[in-house]
Amino acid sequence: MRFVIRRFLLFVAALLAISVVIFAALRILPGDVASVMAGLNAPPERVAQLRSQMGLDRPLTVQYFSWMGGLLHGDFGTSLLTGRSISSTVAMRASVTFPLIVLGLVVALAIGLTLGVVSTLSTHAAVRSVFHFVAIVGGAIPALWGGLLLILLFGRGTGLLGILPSQGFPEAGWDNFGSALTSLVLPALTVGIIDGASLMRYTRSALGEVMNSGYMDQAMACGYTRRQAALKVGLRLATPQLVSVVGLMFAGMITGVMVIENLFALPGIGAGLVTDLGNRDLIAVQSELFMLAAFFLFVGFLVDLLHRFLDPRLKHAVQGGAQ
Amino acid sequence: MMGVDVNKLGISIGGKSIVRDVNVHIGDGERVGLIGSSGSGKSMISKAMLGLLPINAQTEGSVILGDTQVVGADETVLAGLRGRYVGAVFQNPASSLNPVLTVGKQIELPLKLHYDLDKADRQARVSAMLEKVGLDATVAKKYPSELSGGQQQRVGIATALITSPRLIIADEPTTALDSITQRQIVDLLVSLVDKAGASMLFITHDFSVLARATTRCYVLDGGRIVESGNTADLLEHPQGEQTKKLVAAARELTLQRKQNRDD
Amino acid sequence: MTRNNEHSASETVRTNNAPANMGTKASSKFTVVLRSIWRRGEGKFALIVLALWLAVSLLSLVWTPKSLWATDGYHVWAKPSAAHWLGTDGTGADVFSWLMAGARTNLFIAVLAVVFAGALGILLMSAMVSRSSALSNVSVVAVDALISIPTVLIALILAVPMGASVVVIIIACGIGYGLNLARIARPQALLAANSDYVASALSYGASGFSVIWHHILPNAMPTIMVQLSLSAGTAVLAESGLTYLGVGVPSGVPSWGHSLATSVKFINVYPLTVLWPGLIVTIVVVALNVFGDVLRDVIDPVTNPELREV
């Protein structure tokens, strides 16, 4: 319990630190946010108007605390370009991105864990080498290229098979469930296959390590066959390590997700952030960056808790050390 | 009853010979030792008997437990022997007892895998077993990492003996322990094996431990058996070079221990 | 300075290298490691690809088949031919020449990102094993928390004030991989920091810096080298992603990510042209990953007996 509290305080501290970094990054712009947003050749009155509209004429600390205060109330500010509340825009975009991440993760876990286990348990050296090759090459594919290849294979219009949509998301969103889901198939496969290949390598090394340990000998000595021991004991013992890997992989996935959203013209958080950045809608960018950072810090916090919960040795090791 | 006959056993891994031409016989209810320095291949022999050799290992010759040929046997046949007719105690319980199972669940596992008993029956047997190895019943709810090294090895012994196997293979069961705990564990193991009327193969590099645990022994050097005979006789009159070294090392160790105790 | 040639194998394993050995020994160690990598089939592949990468990067400084800025107005969308080996890119620029020139940008980015990550990682690692418990606690905690921030997010934050720039990729990758490196190298460093060797060095009055340089760094070096070569591969991948997102290499600068992003436009014209830039990135990243994997095996004196002799 003390660990949970300590780790949570750390999460909050990191969140504050990152908010200061993001806030500062927008304030060290040459000129200031307002003049950048107004664009070159903008009349000074326009810049001044923007500045007061954004509250940039207030002292920095006041600006920071009013921003943070808003965040605490779930108020992310208003986009100066669209005039819409940023929280509602982000919520809409998240309804594309999160299903994409979850589907991608499901594909990655299905591929990575299954093939990783099969290749570790295989008694044929040739099978193991083929899987090793697949894992190394799969993990080295740039997301953009992987997406292009899948479009060339399956994409409607350009693809050889032409069975799946490769552009856009239905206007009606998830109300048009079937169409929304099919438009996420190729993007999720792209992200999932590439990360699945990496996960396969990690599964192999984590499970391989456990397979050579005394725990396996003990499990088999109790009456498990090698395969049973690997599936019932080996996987369980490799789980804490794999949870950490998946947690880190999750953070890495967002790069691929952003690229893929742009390639497949999906109106998600990644594509939206890139658009906002291109439009210099900096109030929106500031809140969106913070939200993403908060999300990943929170995932990191959860992963650490889960890791500890899954491995009783860690708990007792610390207790032992404290004596 | 279960005797063991190892005939012309040879093991190699990746083309490198680990063990050659090994013959070992263990009679019903006999406690036999296998002694050698580290790297002599003794653990590989015990792994061959349990069918636990790494998948890239090549085996020749034969290992017969009771009336089952272990070399080349199907994995399900081997799994049917392990934990039922053959129990194993390993060197370092901290890195062999499943860290995510409670002690009770760990000891219960062989019963669960081989016998069709209801839960209450299994738990009663686990409690009885814990008492036999000198552990408190409350230990059943704890994780191995919460126990001392000696307590962990008692759990290891309980796991090996819960199904009353006919043969116990103990692979350096005391090496990870301090000298006083070593003696307690050896005595516990010997008394339980004798009470059950089981046979035992005891593997070690320490002659002083071997003398307590076994009546007869084989000396292994560089993957071959170099000497065998009555343990007490060998300790008294070692013949071969390797045996002399091992005996000398054991004497030195005993002397040190005595000095430590006198200090 | 004395050269101690009497290091036994086991002492080398503990790699408590005396400072004087670092110069001459480092170079002979380097050749032994290279030779051991070359002797493996997959190691040979990795070395050949990496050498080609370097060669093409250098060559592109003085020669490409077509000038990067010479646009072929008659063939803006040319198929691969004798005149344009891999075709043209829609503005009439020669794809092959741009890929050649891209090699040097990616090499530059990968090398600098790795150098930056190495410096940051070593600094953080040293802080994490520091004898000052305040410093070590703070750095452990900071690394644990910040490691969950994705590289692309760091790049986006940097891109707000800096715009699209090679520097954004280098700093973002450097920070991300540096944090990773510190976390991975920490156990090795901690082992060395708690050794009797370091205790005795300290008792003789060695400074903290000298302990890090002479004792901790040599012990953590194999892990660091392996991790950095894997990071170089990730940097090549990151370049392609960040450039496509518009926060990496600015337009007009050749890079593989740039060529890959341009090839998206090809997809309806000459779909096969899409293959090349991605294929190059994949092969180079595979080579770097394989290099890292082989390095892990051959850099360890326990598994590579030849290293014990130098």
Side-chain angles (χ1 to χ4, degrees):
Chain A
M1 200 55 211
R2 258 183 59 201
F3 173 79
V4 177
I5 294 168
R6 230 183 21 214
R7 188 62 185 79
F8 182 75
L9 289 178
L10 170 60
F11 163 68
V12 173
L15 208 54
L16 284 175
I18 204 85
S19 74
V20 172
V21 170
I22 291 172
F23 182 80
L26 276 100
R27 299 305 183 281
I28 56 168
L29 283 169
D32 70 3
V33 183
S35 54
V36 173
M37 284 183 66
L40 292 172
N41 309 326
E45 310 85 73
R46 169 75 184 134
V47 176
Q49 184 204 344
L50 262 177
R51 188 170 291 144
S52 72
Q53 208 176 335
M54 291 161 67
L56 291 176
D57 41 7
R58 296 173 298 171
L60 282 180
T61 44
V62 174
Q63 288 181 39
Y64 175 76
F65 283 111
S66 87
W67 176 49
M68 286 313 282
L71 288 181
L72 282 179
H73 293 101
D75 173 16
F76 292 81
T78 312
S79 160
L80 289 169
L81 278 172
T82 60
R84 269 193 293 190
S85 110
I86 294 170
S87 11
S88 73
T89 313
V90 166
M92 219 160 65
R93 289 172 179 167
S95 76
V96 178
T97 300
F98 278 97
L100 172 57
I101 290 182
V102 170
L103 283 177
L105 205 55
V106 168
V107 174
L109 288 173
I111 293 179
L113 289 181
T114 322
L115 297 191
V117 170
V118 169
S119 72
T120 314
L121 291 189
S122 171
T123 47
H124 301 282
V127 172
R128 289 202 302 271
S129 327
V130 168
F131 278 110
H132 183 58
F133 179 79
V134 168
I136 286 228
V137 172
I141 291 177
L144 178 58
W145 194 54
L148 285 174
L149 292 185
L150 284 186
I151 290 177
L152 284 178
L153 272 178
F154 301 109
R156 214 172 270 158
T158 41
L160 288 175
L161 300 174
I163 42 175
L164 286 163
S166 63
Q167 287 294 302
F169 195 74
E171 279 291 323
W174 287 99
D175 292 338
N176 190 348
F177 186 82
S179 167
L181 194 64
T182 48
S183 66
L184 288 186
V185 171
L186 282 185
L189 277 181
T190 314
V191 176
I193 289 174
I194 294 172
D195 285 307
S198 309
L199 182 60
M200 185 172 148
R201 281 176 77 189
Y202 290 120
T203 307
R204 272 172 58 118
S205 77
L207 188 58
E209 211 173 280
V210 174
M211 286 304 285
N212 289 326
S213 72
Y215 303 127
M216 279 299 115
D217 286 345
Q218 176 80 62
M220 287 191 270
C222 288
Y224 280 127
T225 62
R226 190 178 292 274
R227 182 176 302 251
Q228 286 169 336
L231 294 177
K232 294 195 173 140
V233 182
L235 268 185
R236 173 64 185 81
L237 291 183
T239 302
Q241 211 183 330
L242 285 175
V243 166
S244 288
V245 167
V246 171
L248 283 181
M249 199 180 83
F250 193 71
M253 249 170 112
I254 196 69
T255 316
V257 166
M258 286 191 176
V259 167
I260 288 305
E261 280 179 1
N262 278 289
L263 177 64
F264 287 85
L266 296 173
I269 290 179
L273 186 52
V274 171
T275 315
D276 290 343
L277 201 59
N279 292 337
R280 288 281 163 191
D281 191 351
L282 294 177
I283 296 299
V285 168
Q286 175 175 281
S287 290
E288 284 162 3
L289 283 178
F290 178 77
M291 281 223 354
L292 276 179
F295 174 70
F296 284 106
L297 285 174
F298 187 65
V299 169
F301 167 66
L302 284 186
V303 165
D304 277 6
L305 288 196
L306 196 57
H307 187 194
R308 195 167 172 89
F309 172 72
L310 286 169
D311 194 342
R313 280 171 296 180
L314 286 176
K315 203 162 85 201
H316 304 133
V318 171
Q319 281 175 355
Q323 278 167 4
Chain B
M1 287 290 138
M2 186 181 260
V4 178
D5 260 306
V6 176
N7 251 313
K8 292 194 178 344
L9 178 67
I11 304 167
S12 57
I13 294 177
K16 202 175 149 211
S17 171
I18 309 284
V19 165
R20 270 161 301 163
D21 202 22
V22 163
N23 298 301
V24 170
H25 174 79
I26 304 171
D28 282 349
E30 195 183 12
R31 286 184 272 111
V32 171
L34 189 56
I35 185 166
S37 54
S38 68
S40 60
K42 53 193 189 309
S43 280
M44 282 297 157
I45 297 177
S46 78
K47 288 198 168 189
M49 293 169 73
L50 289 159
L52 295 182
L53 286 174
I55 29 178
N56 57 345
Q58 305 250 307
T59 321
E60 55 187 58
S62 77
V63 176
I64 295 170
L65 302 186
D67 47 14
T68 312
Q69 167 63 271
V70 170
V71 174
D74 192 73
E75 182 64 22
T76 48
V77 174
L78 291 171
L81 285 176
R82 293 190 297 246
R84 182 171 193 166
Y85 300 112
V86 186
V89 184
F90 295 98
Q91 173 172 346
N92 188 354
S95 58
S96 50
L97 295 176
N98 189 334
V100 300
L101 285 189
T102 57
V103 164
K105 289 246 168 15
Q106 174 72 68
I107 300 175
E108 191 187 7
L109 185 62
L111 280 180
K112 222 169 164 174
L113 292 178
H114 295 292
Y115 295 96
D116 189 21
L117 301 172
D118 61 42
K119 200 174 171 197
D121 196 350
R122 286 200 304 264
Q123 275 172 354
R125 284 168 195 251
V126 168
S127 305
M129 195 69 227
L130 277 173
E131 201 185 324
K132 274 192 207 167
V133 296
L135 288 174
D136 199 78
T138 55
V139 166
K141 293 257 183 294
K142 291 191 172 174
Y143 287 98
S145 47
E146 294 171 277
L147 306 179
S148 72
Q151 287 174 316
Q152 287 176 348
Q153 196 55 295
R154 284 170 197 268
V155 175
I157 292 172
T159 310
L161 288 164
I162 185 77
T163 51
S164 308
R166 308 317 307 147
L167 170 69
I168 298 291
I169 296 176
D171 187 354
E172 304 240 20
T174 61
T175 309
L177 306 171
D178 65 76
S179 57
I180 295 167
T181 319
Q182 270 190 2
R183 191 180 302 187
Q184 292 170 346
I185 291 291
V186 171
D187 291 349
L188 174 71
L189 195 54
V190 167
S191 79
L192 288 175
V193 166
D194 280 355
K195 237 179 263 168
S199 332
M200 173 157 78
L201 178 68
F202 194 100
I203 297 170
T204 182
H205 63 274
D206 184 349
F207 242 116
S208 53
V209 170
L210 198 67
R212 278 187 106 81
T214 66
T215 51
R216 203 160 60 75
C217 75
Y218 296 85
V219 182
L220 198 65
D221 184 25
R224 285 169 184 276
I225 303 275
V226 289
E227 203 168 342
S228 65
N230 184 292
T231 311
D233 288 350
L234 276 181
L235 190 53
E236 216 51 52
H237 311 288
Q239 301 296 315
E241 197 62 22
Q242 184 64 19
T243 321
K244 280 177 185 159
K245 264 192 223 162
L246 289 164
V247 168
R251 292 234 167 89
E252 215 167 278
L253 222 61
T254 323
L255 210 65
Q256 273 175 7
R257 277 178 204 152
K258 273 200 186 116
Q259 276 173 349
N260 286 345
R261 229 171 298 145
D262 295 342
D263 281 347
Chain C
M1 292 208 193
T2 53
R3 270 192 68 182
N4 183 359
N5 286 323
E6 288 156 10
H7 264 323
S8 73
S10 61
E11 269 170 342
T12 318
V13 172
R14 277 186 267 116
T15 50
N16 292 310
N17 288 355
N21 297 334
M22 291 191 91
T24 46
K25 272 202 177 173
S27 67
S28 55
K29 243 182 198 172
F30 181 73
T31 33
V32 168
V33 167
L34 267 193
R35 213 181 311 131
S36 310
I37 294 177
W38 180 255
R39 229 174 278 135
R40 307 260 203 114
E42 70 266 37
K44 211 168 270 170
F45 161 78
L47 286 180
I48 289 175
V49 171
L50 297 181
L52 266 177
W53 186 15
L54 180 64
V56 169
S57 301
L58 293 177
L59 179 63
S60 77
L61 289 172
V62 291
W63 178 83
T64 50
K66 294 276 186 310
S67 157
L68 293 184
W69 311 111
T71 49
D72 188 337
Y74 296 102
H75 305 100
V76 277
W77 287 113
K79 272 189 214 183
S81 67
H84 298 285
W85 295 351
L86 296 179
T88 56
D89 72 349
T91 62
D94 185 53
V95 171
F96 186 80
S97 303
W98 274 75
L99 283 175
M100 270 186 75
R104 64 177 185 241
T105 312
N106 280 80
L107 186 61
F108 179 75
I109 291 173
V111 168
L112 282 190
V114 159
V115 167
F116 184 31
L120 178 68
I122 289 171
L123 204 69
L124 286 172
M125 178 195 80
S126 311
M128 283 163 105
V129 300
S130 155
R131 272 172 302 140
S132 141
S133 64
L135 180 59
S136 67
N137 284 339
V138 166
S139 48
V140 168
V141 157
V143 168
D144 271 355
L146 292 179
I147 208 158
S148 47
I149 300 280
T151 313
V152 68
L153 211 56
I154 304 175
L156 287 169
I157 294 174
L158 289 171
V160 174
M162 298 173 77
S165 149
V166 172
V167 183
V168 168
I169 309 180
I170 293 172
I171 299 182
C173 291
I175 294 177
Y177 308 158
L179 288 168
N180 237 326
L181 178 67
R183 198 189 227 192
I184 289 171
R186 182 175 164 239
Q188 289 289 332
L190 208 57
L191 219 59
N194 293 336
S195 69
D196 298 343
Y197 218 86
V198 165
S200 78
L202 287 172
S203 73
Y204 287 122
S207 69
F209 177 77
S210 137
V211 164
I212 288 168
W213 182 252
H214 293 141
H215 303 297
I216 294 179
L217 213 47
N219 271 297
M221 219 48 198
T223 314
I224 292 176
M225 300 292 289
V226 170
Q227 189 55 31
L228 284 181
S229 51
L230 298 177
S231 292
T234 321
V236 173
L237 283 177
E239 186 275 325
S240 76
L242 293 177
T243 299
Y244 178 67
L245 292 178
V247 296
V249 174
S251 63
V253 176
S255 80
W256 291 332
H258 178 273
S259 295
L260 194 52
T262 319
S263 80
V264 177
K265 288 185 265 168
F266 284 114
I267 194 160
N268 293 314
V269 191
Y270 298 118
L272 281 184
T273 319
V274 168
L275 285 180
W276 306 114
L279 198 61
I280 290 175
V281 172
T282 305
I283 291 175
V284 166
V285 175
V286 166
L288 284 166
N289 285 347
V290 166
F291 181 81
D293 283 348
V294 177
L295 189 64
R296 197 195 321 262
D297 290 346
V298 303
I299 207 170
D300 185 353
V302 176
T303 49
N304 189 358
E306 274 182 63
L307 265 182
R308 295 177 208 158
E309 274 142 42
V310 287

